[in-house]
Amino acid sequence: MRCCRSQRWTCLNFTNNRHPARKGKRLAPGWWWSATTGRLVHYGSAAMRLHVMLLDRDPRVGALAARPLELRWPVPSGMRTHAPQLMLRMADGQGVLADCTGRAELSRRQRSVAAVVGEICTAAGWRYWVLGPVDPMYRRNVTWLAGYRHPRHHGGRLLAAALQEAFAMPAPLWEGVRRVGDPLVVLPALFHALWAGRLAADLGAAMHERMPVWAQAAA
């Protein structure tokens, strides 16, 4: 464990970043295989698992880790500590600390902690995010696509190119799939491409065989 300090706060780098299991929690701690890093990321709650999944799909995120550090700062009653749930390295090099919540409104204590962590991040040249509830339909759709995030579902260069051609203009999902080939082969590659952002669709609406799908323009 390493330590860095300022006059007002202390930062401790963790070597053990697992979340303990607690009685009564609706989701036990677990591991998420990250398509971004190719490594496992530990999560400690349903809200954290959700946002690890969403961040894993976010093209702005270059790397993510769970509870990499602990912050300590003085309060009138002594010392307060907080371990942000996630640290991100964005594609542009920016560092972000993040906490996840399943509630739309933060408690007074959460607001107090968020204000201090935000101040610390600003001083360090980082950002701080509090990640809250997500649209249920979008969550369900991304959860489905996440099942195809592993590179084994890519399908290969030729199939990926065929999908780009079939959906060069917006087309119903099933029509495009049938133009490419056997749906048992094509669908996993299509879902992988939707996860990876090479294909796009309105994930705020229910997914079905007639949903419009289109190829994303190359960056």
Side-chain angles (χ1 to χ4, degrees):
M1 180 175 68
R2 292 183 296 172
C3 174
C4 60
R5 298 177 184 272
S6 79
Q7 293 182 343
R8 297 186 57 192
W9 51 269
T10 301
C11 173
L12 300 174
N13 289 350
F14 282 168
T15 56
N16 181 1
N17 58 7
R18 297 187 184 185
H19 294 78
R22 293 188 176 91
K23 184 178 180 180
K25 292 187 69 172
R26 298 178 65 182
L27 179 72
W31 295 95
W32 175 268
W33 184 83
S34 168
T36 301
T37 64
R39 299 181 178 181
L40 295 174
V41 178
H42 201 255
Y43 59 82
S45 67
M48 186 177 176
R49 183 187 185 279
L50 167 63
H51 286 289
V52 167
M53 175 183 71
L54 297 178
L55 292 166
D56 196 24
R57 186 175 179 266
D58 192 329
R60 300 173 301 166
V61 176
L64 65 163
R67 296 184 70 208
L69 51 82
E70 181 182 82
L71 303 171
R72 297 180 180 178
W73 62 92
V75 294
S77 59
M79 293 292 294
R80 176 166 288 180
T81 66
H82 179 66
Q85 291 175 310
L86 292 167
M87 185 171 189
L88 316 173
R89 186 181 73 243
M90 309 305 285
D92 62 4
Q94 175 73 56
V96 178
L97 294 180
D99 283 308
C100 310
T101 177
R103 298 180 179 180
E105 297 291 334
L106 300 180
S107 67
R108 182 164 60 181
R109 183 182 185 282
Q110 288 173 319
R111 291 195 300 270
S112 174
V113 169
V116 175
V117 176
E119 180 182 342
I120 293 170
C121 286
T122 299
W126 301 340
R127 300 174 190 164
Y128 176 60
W129 295 345
V130 178
L131 305 172
V134 174
D135 174 72
M137 184 63 71
Y138 181 79
R139 182 187 70 235
R140 286 194 291 270
N141 288 339
V142 175
T143 298
W144 173 265
L145 297 179
Y148 297 89
R149 68 189 183 277
H150 196 278
R152 65 175 173 266
H153 296 295
H154 180 276
R157 180 176 56 84
L158 294 179
L159 180 51
L163 284 168
Q164 290 290 310
E165 182 178 354
F167 294 103
M169 297 294 292
L173 181 151
W174 191 249
E175 290 183 14
V177 167
R178 292 302 298 267
R179 285 202 299 268
V180 173
D182 182 354
L184 292 177
V185 176
V186 177
L187 279 172
L190 177 138
F191 293 140
H192 178 79
L194 284 169
W195 164 268
R198 293 187 298 274
L199 296 179
D202 179 7
L203 299 181
M207 293 178 65
H208 54 85
E209 69 275 9
R210 299 294 300 172
M211 64 182 284
V213 176
W214 59 93
Q216 289 281 60

